[in-house]
Amino acid sequence: MTVYDVIDRKKRGFALTEEEVRFFVRAVADGRASDAQIAAFCMAVVWRGMTDEECFFLTDAMTHSGETIPCPRLNVLFADKHSTGGVSDSTSLVLVPVLAACGVHCAKYSGRGLGHTGGTLDKLESFPGFRVSLTAEEFEAQAERVGCVIAGQTARIVPADKRMYAVRDVTATVDSIPLIAASVMSKKLASFADVILLDVKYGEGAFVHGGEEAVRLARTMVDLGRRAGRRMCACVTCMDQPLGDSIGCCAEVREAIGVLRGEVRNDLSELSLSHSALLLQAVLGISAEEAARRAQKAVDSGAALQKLREMVAAQGGDARAVDDFSLLPLAEGRAWVRAKADGYLRVAATPLGRACVELGGGRLREEDAVDHGVGLRLLRRTGEAVRAGDPLAEVYFDPERDPAGALSLIEGAFAVGGELPPRQPLVYCTIAEEDN
Ligand code: URA
């Protein structure tokens, strides 16, 4: 068998055997398959699709293409949450301390931002001194002592995905359900979480645009997780406009802290708390109402905020920043984008995410540095009536860098029309843990 044979068979629309899939993934991981061959394989999958069996073999082969993370010795259930990526999605910064405050351990490996989407690790590095590279011993010790930890996976975890994702990113082969499902789930299954909540985004700012397609992706990933022995639940949620009101690392950390203080009430707070409740329900075996009550109590009592302080301090960060925002500095340049006409507003997520990257707050290549202070705050949201001249966004930029390109992207993110745009529900559907 050769890599060429496997690509050729997929191109012709055959279902690959387990042996063929595993052979291909091994060739990706050990460098025998070239980038061109990976691209050809991925494009064949985009067009021909994969059966559930093929997708399972692909996921399993990718999961074991490198090291897997050993389960901590602590005899408790670990919860995890994964979002397929969005704009102003800081739910992990809220959910992880809320769960820990409710006695549910959350030891989470997160990623960095790529393209127009933000990454939890970059946001956490807004805390001066915060370390995302932890040894397995540090990770485990913190999970036990604090109840929560968020760190980065090393390059040795799922190396096949690292290569495949980089090639997909530049060959228009990201938007394939089996490829996304295998990519996401291989990283989840290489880790040890017992109960996993997937937040599958759909809409303008997501990899998947239609709600039903997102449901198919969610079901595919839930099935892959269950087949691997994990307890799974999923939500399909809307990413037509940014989830929260802030975009950019420091701005998003401030907003997440605002949610934990009980001061910010918006789609971000709603989704963070409903996700937390779903996981509490699954791990603790309590009713949905009781889970929602406990999540809210963790916020109202200040217990979740205290967990965030403990987590930041444990990872070497300056926990005073949780209470003193001058330690999470926004860039000094300020500009406002204003409505050009009277009417109803529609806000698009992708150009706002791109604008943040353009300001220096995201990365186009993995090695790019991130400016944590730049970004923007949305002042109005989809469906609101605005008048010409009303401020729609406050932009934070580095005065040493020309913000013109970013400002024109931000202007393009706002459309004002005579008709009230249809507002999609925030949660399109939920696959609860007990649903099979
Ligand atoms: N996130 C991933 O990790 N992989 C994908 O393919 C898409 C989103």
Side-chain angles (χ1 to χ4, degrees), residues 72-399:
R73 283 176 297 261
L74 199 58
N75 192 20
V76 295
L77 288 180
F78 280 91
D80 196 359
K81 180 229 114 194
H82 180 86
S83 155
T84 53
V87 180
S88 187
D89 180 359
S90 330
T91 47
S92 294
L93 299 180
V94 177
L95 170 141
V96 169
V98 166
L99 291 184
C102 294
V104 168
H105 285 73
C106 196
K108 185 165 168 42
Y109 284 99
S110 286
R112 297 200 176 274
L114 196 64
H116 70 279
T117 64
T120 303
L121 298 183
D122 298 322
K123 294 174 200 175
L124 281 169
E125 284 177 343
S126 303
F127 288 103
F130 193 94
R131 284 194 309 127
V132 298
S133 300
L134 301 181
T135 64
E137 292 72 30
E138 287 172 326
F139 189 79
E140 184 171 346
Q142 187 179 324
E144 183 164 359
R145 191 164 49 80
V146 183
C148 56
V149 46
I150 303 179
Q153 286 188 344
T154 70
R156 294 192 295 272
I157 311 288
V158 196
D161 180 65
K162 260 197 146 14
R163 276 199 80 197
M164 285 176 72
Y165 196 87
V167 171
R168 287 168 59 213
D169 202 32
V170 292
T171 55
T173 50
V174 170
D175 53 349
S176 144
I177 287 183
L179 294 180
I180 297 176
S183 165
V184 169
M185 289 309 295
S186 59
K187 286 174 287 204
K188 290 288 110 184
L189 298 176
S191 187
F192 51 76
D194 306 281
V195 185
I196 302 171
L197 166 64
L198 300 170
D199 181 356
V200 181
K201 302 289 185 196
Y202 80 96
E204 183 275 334
F207 293 116
V208 174
H209 294 301
E212 283 310 305
E213 200 187 350
V215 173
R216 275 204 303 286
L217 174 60
R219 287 201 189 286
T220 304
M221 294 197 288
V222 163
D223 289 347
L224 287 169
R226 287 183 180 155
R227 209 165 153 176
R230 310 298 173 95
R231 291 168 55 189
M232 304 291 302
C233 45
C235 284
V236 173
T237 66
C238 186
M239 185 40 73
D240 273 343
Q241 63 175 332
L243 179 62
D245 299 326
S246 301
I247 304 173
C249 293
C250 281
E252 289 187 50
V253 169
R254 286 170 168 228
E255 187 174 15
I257 292 171
V259 173
L260 288 170
R261 286 179 182 166
E263 293 167 0
V264 170
R265 284 179 203 278
N266 57 10
D267 285 356
L268 172 67
S269 62
E270 187 184 328
L271 201 62
S272 309
L273 290 180
S274 68
H275 280 352
S276 303
L278 264 179
L279 280 168
L280 289 176
Q281 192 186 347
V283 174
L284 301 177
I286 54 180
S287 69
E289 296 71 31
E290 176 61 9
R293 197 190 62 73
R294 289 196 199 180
Q296 190 60 54
K297 187 166 168 229
V299 171
D300 295 343
S301 65
L305 201 58
Q306 176 56 18
K307 276 294 164 199
L308 180 67
R309 289 189 196 98
E310 289 172 29
M311 183 177 86
V312 170
Q315 292 184 236
D318 189 343
R320 292 174 306 163
V322 172
D323 302 288
D324 177 0
F325 280 176
S326 70
L327 297 168
L328 291 170
L330 298 173
E332 280 173 11
R334 285 289 179 281
W336 281 264
V337 171
R338 295 177 186 277
K340 292 211 163 61
D342 296 355
Y344 291 108
L345 187 65
R346 186 196 288 259
V347 185
T350 305
L352 294 177
R354 288 220 182 99
C356 185
V357 176
E358 179 73 24
L359 289 166
R363 55 172 67 75
L364 293 170
R365 287 163 311 170
E366 237 179 303
E367 58 276 19
D368 289 347
V370 162
D371 182 339
H372 296 92
V374 299
L376 62 107
R377 188 165 64 95
L378 276 182
L379 304 173
R380 311 296 288 271
R381 297 182 67 89
T382 293
E384 288 188 39
V386 296
R387 310 286 303 263
D390 282 354
L392 303 179
E394 180 183 16
V395 183
Y396 319 120
F397 64 93
D398 173 359

